[in-house]
Amino acid sequence: MKKIEAPIGRRQFLIAAGVTSTALAAGLATGAGIANAADNSAVPGADPNKKQGGSKCVVIFSTLTGNTEKVARAIQKGMEQATGGCDIFPIKDANPHKLAGYDLIAFGYPLMGPMLKMNVSSFIDDLRYVGGRHVFLFTTSDSGGNNFTACIPRLKEHGLIAIGWKGWHGSVYGPLGDPTPSKADGHPDKADLADAEAFGKEMAALSKKIYAGDKGLIPKEPVKEERHEGEPAELVGSANDTNEQYMKRIHFKLMYDQSKCLYPKCQRCMDFCPVYGIDLTLEPRVYGKPCMMCEMCDQLCPTGAIYVDEDQMQWQAGIEHYAEKGVTQIYKAYPKHPRFVVGYGRPYGYDPYTKEQRGDK
Ligand SMILES: Cc1cc2nc3c(=O)[nH]c(=O)nc-3n(C[C@H](O)[C@H](O)[C@H](O)COP(=O)(O)O)c2cc1C
Ligand code: SF4
Ligand code: SF4
C-alpha cells in the first residue's frame, strides 16, 4: 500500500466529513466515567479565589481521547524534577484568569486541523496577568504536525514568551476513513513519554536560565508550515478560519433525534462536550451551541441520537482525492455507519478496534 504523509487538516477533514465516524454501541458509562478521560477530568478544579496551585509552573492540557493527557503528565513529571513541584489542569478546569504567579506554563492540545480549536482559542482569549512569563507548547497528532505557528502569536498577544515547542504522534481512536497503518499507531508510547518527560525538564531548566538573564536562549519563532503538496486548500482549511468558516467549509452539521435519546438515563454527550455545547435539560434541547467539531458526541452516543450528518459533508470528495493519489486503504464510508464498540471507547475501558470493527475490507 502506498503510504501517504498525513498533512495537517487531512484527518480533520475526513473525520469532520463523517468518513471516520465510529461509536460506542454498548454499555452506558456513567457521566463521571466519561468525564474522567476528557478535558473535564481527573485533576481537581481551580479555586476561583486564589492562584490555582502551589507551584511556580503549571501544565494545562486539552485532550479528547487521552493521548495529550499522557504527554502532559510526562511533561509535568519532568518539570517537577527540575523545579520540585508543578501543577496540572485539564483546560476545562483551568482558570485563565488565575495564572498570575506561574513563571512557566506548559500548554498542550491535540492537533485538529490548521486552526486552533474553540476551547484552546477561547482559553487563550481569556488569559490575563501572564505578561513576561514563559510558555512552551506541546501537541499530539496523527501526522506529527502541529499548528504552533497559529498559537504562538496569540499567546504573544498576552505577553507570554514562547521558549519551546514539541509534538508527538498520537494514535487516532475513530479511524474509519483513515489510511492505515498510520505512523501514529501505538503512540504516544513509552519512548515518547520518556522524551516528553525529558522535554519538560529541559524547558524548566531553560526557563530558569532565561529568567536569570540569558535572553539569547529564547528561540526564534517557528516558521509557517508549508502546505503539503497536492493538498487542496478547500480540504485543508486555513489557520485563519474562524470556527464558523471552517464549519461551513466542511459542511459540518450536527443532528439530534430526541426519540432515540436516553437522557436523563444517559448524559454522555453533555458530560463530554469540551465546549459545553449540549444542554439536554432545556426544551427545546440544545446541541452544538457552541460546537468545535470534535465529533465526540457522535462517537460516544450509544444510540445514534446525536450524530454528525455525513451526507452534508464533503467526505466523498475526500475519498476521491486520496483515491486519485493511489491510496487504496481508505476505509469504506457507510451511508449509515455501524456503531462500533471501538475507537473512542478505548480510553473508557472498551476494547481497541479491530480491522473488522473498522469495516476494513
Ligand atoms: C476531530 C479530530 C480532528 C483531527 N485532526 C487532525 C489533523 O488535522 N491532523 C492530524 O495530524 N491529526 C488530527 N487528529 C488526530 C489527533 O490529533 C490525535 O489523535 C491526537 O493524538 C488526539 O489527542 P487526544 O487523545 O489528546 O485527544 C484529529 C483528531 C480528531 C478527533
Ligand atoms: S457538540 Fe459534539 S461535536 Fe460539537 S464540540 Fe460538543 S461534543 Fe464536539
Ligand atoms: S444524545 Fe446520546 S449520548 Fe447524549 S444523552 Fe442522548 S443518548 Fe446519551
Side-chain angles (χ1 to χ4, degrees):
M1 178 201 142
K2 189 175 166 193
K3 282 273 286 177
I4 59 160
E5 291 297 310
I8 291 176
R10 187 267 304 166
R11 183 180 305 280
Q12 183 173 29
F13 169 74
L14 288 172
I15 290 177
V19 179
T20 60
S21 296
T22 56
L24 302 178
L28 290 177
T30 63
I34 294 291
N36 274 346
D39 280 347
N40 46 345
S41 77
V43 182
D47 178 340
N49 301 313
K50 291 191 201 141
K51 175 172 166 275
Q52 19 204 341
S55 304
K56 289 248 172 200
C57 51
V58 62
V59 180
I60 294 165
F61 65 92
S62 167
T63 192
L64 298 177
T65 63
N67 295 335
T68 317
E69 175 163 7
K70 282 186 198 157
V71 169
R73 294 192 181 283
I75 285 176
Q76 180 204 23
K77 211 165 147 192
M79 289 166 83
E80 271 178 348
Q81 286 159 21
T83 62
C86 179
D87 296 327
I88 183 164
F89 298 98
I91 199 166
K92 246 182 159 177
D93 290 346
N95 185 338
H97 301 160
K98 300 283 178 187
L99 295 174
Y102 287 113
D103 292 333
L104 178 60
I105 301 166
F107 189 57
Y109 54 86
L111 182 67
M112 288 174 60
M115 49 184 269
L116 297 181
K117 281 293 168 185
M118 185 189 278
N119 62 340
V120 169
S121 185
S122 52
F123 187 86
I124 296 177
D125 278 346
D126 288 345
L127 280 170
R128 296 292 183 275
Y129 324 125
V130 290
R133 304 291 93 187
H134 295 168
V135 66
F136 71 90
L137 294 171
F138 60 97
T139 193
T140 63
S141 66
D142 176 36
S143 58
N146 64 70
N147 57 10
F148 297 150
T149 52
C151 191
I152 289 173
R154 299 276 310 281
L155 294 167
K156 268 174 76 179
E157 285 169 20
H158 296 274
L160 281 164
I161 300 165
I163 65 160
W165 41 86
K166 193 158 188 172
W168 288 267
H169 285 294
S171 54
V172 184
Y173 292 105
L176 262 189
D178 294 316
T180 190
S182 158
K183 50 187 163 192
D185 289 348
H187 292 275
D189 59 15
K190 243 173 132 179
D192 296 329
L193 297 181
D195 188 45
E197 187 178 323
F199 180 62
K201 196 170 172 183
E202 180 195 327
M203 286 295 105
L206 177 67
S207 172
K208 277 186 195 168
K209 285 186 196 156
I210 296 170
Y211 279 123
D214 203 344
K215 301 263 191 271
L217 292 175
I218 299 171
K220 278 210 177 95
E221 276 181 45
V223 285
K224 248 194 167 23
E225 277 198 276
E226 296 296 322
R227 186 180 299 292
H228 291 244
E229 203 192 329
E231 186 70 8
E234 63 277 14
L235 299 191
V236 176
S238 149
N240 300 323
D241 274 349
T242 62
N243 199 65
E244 290 67 31
Q245 283 165 335
Y246 197 78
M247 195 174 265
K248 210 167 154 198
R249 186 194 291 280
I250 62 169
H251 302 269
F252 186 95
K253 193 161 182 200
L254 193 64
M255 309 294 284
Y256 175 66
D257 178 349
Q258 191 161 343
S259 69
K260 290 189 187 163
C261 180
L262 305 179
Y263 179 81
K265 191 176 161 209
C266 169
Q267 54 180 64
R268 275 181 179 185
C269 56
M270 277 204 290
D271 287 336
F272 193 93
C273 180
V275 288
Y276 303 98
I278 302 170
D279 189 348
L280 304 179
T281 67
L282 292 173
E283 293 291 350
R285 295 192 172 177
V286 169
Y287 56 97
K289 284 190 182 144
C291 177
M292 65 174 227
M293 296 168 279
C294 75
E295 284 217 34
M296 288 299 288
C297 50
D298 173 305
Q299 305 289 315
L300 292 167
C301 178
T303 65
I306 194 160
Y307 61 99
V308 176
D309 183 353
E310 59 263 43
D311 295 341
Q312 298 281 333
M313 304 285 206
Q314 297 175 345
W315 56 264
Q316 192 58 43
I319 289 175
E320 282 160 12
H321 170 66
Y322 287 106
E324 274 166 23
K325 293 174 141 213
V327 178
T328 53
Q329 270 196 279
I330 295 289
Y331 290 108
K332 187 173 170 184
Y334 294 85
K336 280 284 162 227
H337 56 76
R339 312 189 73 80
F340 302 125
V341 186
V342 293
Y344 282 119
R346 194 182 330 198
Y348 314 111
Y350 294 92
D351 287 339
Y353 53 77
T354 64
K355 279 194 159 193
E356 290 69 34
Q357 285 169 320
R358 284 160 63 145
D360 198 3
K361 301 279 181 232

